[in-house]
Amino acid sequence: MSERPDRRTPPSAAKRPVWRRPGHPAATPPTGGQPPAPQPAPAAPTPPDHRSVIDSAVYRDGRRVASPATLADTFRLLREEPDGMAWIGLHRPTELELHSLAAEFNLHELAVEDALEAHQRPKLERYGDTLFVVLRAARYLDAQEEVEFGELHIFVGPDFLITVRHGGAPDLSSVRRRMEGTPELLSLGPEAALYAILDTVVDGYAPVVEGVQTDIDEIETEVFRGDPAVSRRIYELSREMVEFQRATRPLVGMLHALMAGFAKYGTDEELQRYLRDVADHVTHTSERVDGFRQALTEILTVNATLVSQQQNAEMRALAEAGFEQNEEIKKISSWAAILFAPTLVGTIYGMNFQDMPELKWAGGYPFAILLMAVVCVSLYVIFKKRDWL
């Protein structure tokens, strides 16, 4: 990547025409020595929304020599600096801005389409002498206890680096300040800035890893404490780890692909050491994320087991309570039946009818008492044998 072919003017060609905004036709020379007839001024085109241009600078020998206010000024100043490098930072640019960059730097239309649509997987693709890199940055939000992901698209050419950011992370202004503070490193070219961005994105994973580790520790405590809301938290964190894994795992292959091209593209030795360090960090992070997913799977299994055990205990307690209640009902029913027998006999003989033969019988009263006693004792014996009493 350190070879810097001249993308602007071939040796046999004259100076390239100056880039013009749409709607400004090229001037035509007068014919026949007569001045051209005055033409009405064309309507001014609608300028692109430059609020998406976060920072744009031209560097020479690793030092900022200009800070253009517009993309057109950046293009012009870069043409005037044969050994210069442009670093353009965009945040959710418009289609017009990206197409103007594509026309100026010969960016591939597929890469431009990816940068416009976003929601791409991390990848590294090479289009001629231009490298297109997609990164997924992450940051941990303490207040919400969740992970927020951002997307970063990077175009790296012989004398330019363009960053297209979708989302809040990462903070590339700190990367630019750090590189401007070490001009000897920035003088190595756009690939040096690329490696610095890679390092920042990977270093940004460390606070996320620590935050997730804290969440997992808290979840383990909540699981064994029986918190009913812990299942939802496990599910949400598992989804975030899936996204985190998608952001980190492809980086391992991407960095190894870059390292494989060290000899082919004559990468500076300092940058080689820099990239190896980044590769070590991202490998460690990827392994931690894989461990988190495995841990969350095991925690979810343990939680399901504990919930099942708790439900079984509750069902057993309900069954025991029902059994005890049934025993009490048996006792009450048995005594009710025993007491019902003398009540029935007494009720019958308490009726005031004249023609009841037992009323004038001398043994009627003892017989009634004996009958009630026999019935009650019989019922008591029967219920006792059936363990109802």
Side-chain angles (χ1 to χ4, degrees):
M1 289 179 60
S2 61
E3 300 177 0
R4 296 167 57 87
D6 189 358
R7 64 168 179 81
R8 293 187 291 273
T9 308
S12 60
K15 186 176 179 180
R16 190 177 60 179
V18 178
W19 179 84
R20 294 180 296 274
R21 295 176 181 271
H24 286 250
T28 55
T31 57
Q34 298 296 327
Q39 299 291 333
T46 303
D49 184 7
H50 290 289
R51 288 176 298 177
S52 61
V53 180
I54 304 301
D55 195 358
S56 180
V58 176
Y59 298 88
R60 184 178 62 244
D61 297 329
R63 301 183 185 277
R64 184 188 288 240
V65 296
S67 301
T70 65
L71 293 179
D73 291 339
T74 303
F75 302 156
R76 177 179 55 80
L77 291 171
L78 184 59
R79 295 191 194 101
E80 296 173 357
E81 291 286 344
D83 298 326
M85 180 193 82
W87 185 346
I88 302 171
L90 306 173
H91 180 255
R92 293 177 178 170
T94 63
E95 185 175 356
L96 179 59
E97 287 173 328
L98 274 183
H99 283 304
S100 67
L101 289 166
E104 176 67 20
F105 296 113
N106 299 320
L107 305 180
H108 197 278
E109 59 181 3
L110 294 179
V112 173
E113 182 180 351
D114 289 345
L116 277 173
E117 294 180 356
H119 303 293
Q120 303 294 318
R121 62 175 180 83
K123 60 182 178 179
L124 183 149
E125 295 179 348
R126 191 177 296 276
Y127 300 96
D129 59 354
T130 301
L131 195 64
F132 178 60
V133 181
V134 178
L135 302 175
R136 295 292 303 277
R139 63 178 178 178
Y140 185 79
L141 305 178
D142 290 323
Q144 295 85 356
E145 292 187 341
E146 62 183 25
V147 183
E148 181 185 66
F149 295 93
E151 192 167 329
L152 180 64
H153 301 250
I154 308 171
F155 297 90
V156 185
D159 57 353
F160 67 88
L161 183 137
I162 303 168
T163 60
V164 180
R165 185 161 53 92
H166 297 271
D171 180 16
L172 296 182
S173 59
S174 61
V175 181
R176 191 187 291 263
R177 288 193 300 268
R178 179 158 60 94
M179 293 301 291
E180 290 178 350
T182 55
E184 64 279 2
L185 182 60
L186 187 56
S187 64
L188 297 177
E191 58 269 28
L194 171 63
Y195 297 153
I197 293 173
L198 285 169
D199 183 59
T200 298
V201 171
V202 173
D203 286 347
Y205 293 151
V208 179
V209 169
E210 296 302 322
V212 172
Q213 181 64 67
T214 302
D215 286 345
I216 291 178
D217 294 340
E218 294 175 354
I219 286 174
E220 289 177 345
T221 303
E222 294 173 358
V223 165
F224 290 102
R225 194 171 56 197
D227 191 338
V230 71
S231 298
R232 181 180 182 88
R233 189 176 182 186
I234 295 173
Y235 173 74
E236 292 176 349
L237 189 58
S238 298
R239 289 187 60 186
E240 291 177 354
M241 288 306 96
V242 171
E243 290 296 321
F244 202 6
Q245 196 173 50
R246 291 173 180 172
T248 57
R249 180 173 290 180
L251 276 179
V252 178
M254 290 167 55
L255 292 173
H256 282 86
L258 283 175
M259 289 189 293
F262 282 164
K264 179 178 180 180
Y265 296 100
T267 305
D268 183 83
E269 292 184 2
E270 180 67 19
L271 293 182
Q272 293 183 26
R273 288 190 289 269
Y274 194 4
L275 184 59
R276 290 192 187 97
D277 181 67
V278 175
D280 290 340
H281 288 174
V282 76
T283 300
H284 176 70
T285 300
S286 181
E287 291 173 352
R288 291 289 301 274
V289 174
D290 291 343
F292 288 157
R293 285 204 63 188
Q294 181 65 28
L296 287 170
T297 301
E298 294 174 354
I299 291 174
L300 189 60
T301 302
V302 171
N303 181 66
T305 302
L306 293 176
V307 170
S308 178
Q309 291 177 352
Q310 183 179 2
Q311 290 176 345
N312 291 338
E314 292 175 354
M315 293 296 294
R316 184 167 56 251
L318 289 173
E320 292 175 355
F323 177 77
E324 293 176 359
Q325 185 178 10
N326 190 36
E327 292 298 316
E328 295 297 327
I329 291 174
K330 287 180 180 180
K331 292 179 180 180
I332 294 173
S333 300
S334 299
W335 285 113
I338 293 173
L339 295 176
F340 177 73
T343 303
L344 177 62
V345 175
T347 302
I348 292 174
Y349 285 100
M351 295 185 293
N352 297 321
F353 291 106
Q354 294 295 327
D355 297 329
M356 292 182 67
E358 293 86 358
L359 294 178
K360 297 180 180 182
W361 181 36
Y365 177 74
F367 176 78
I369 295 297
L370 180 63
L371 178 61
M372 288 187 284
V374 170
V375 172
C376 290
V377 171
S378 300
L379 290 175
Y380 180 82
V381 172
I382 293 173
F383 292 145
K384 193 68 175 178
K385 286 184 177 180
R386 296 185 177 182
D387 294 329
W388 282 33
L389 291 175

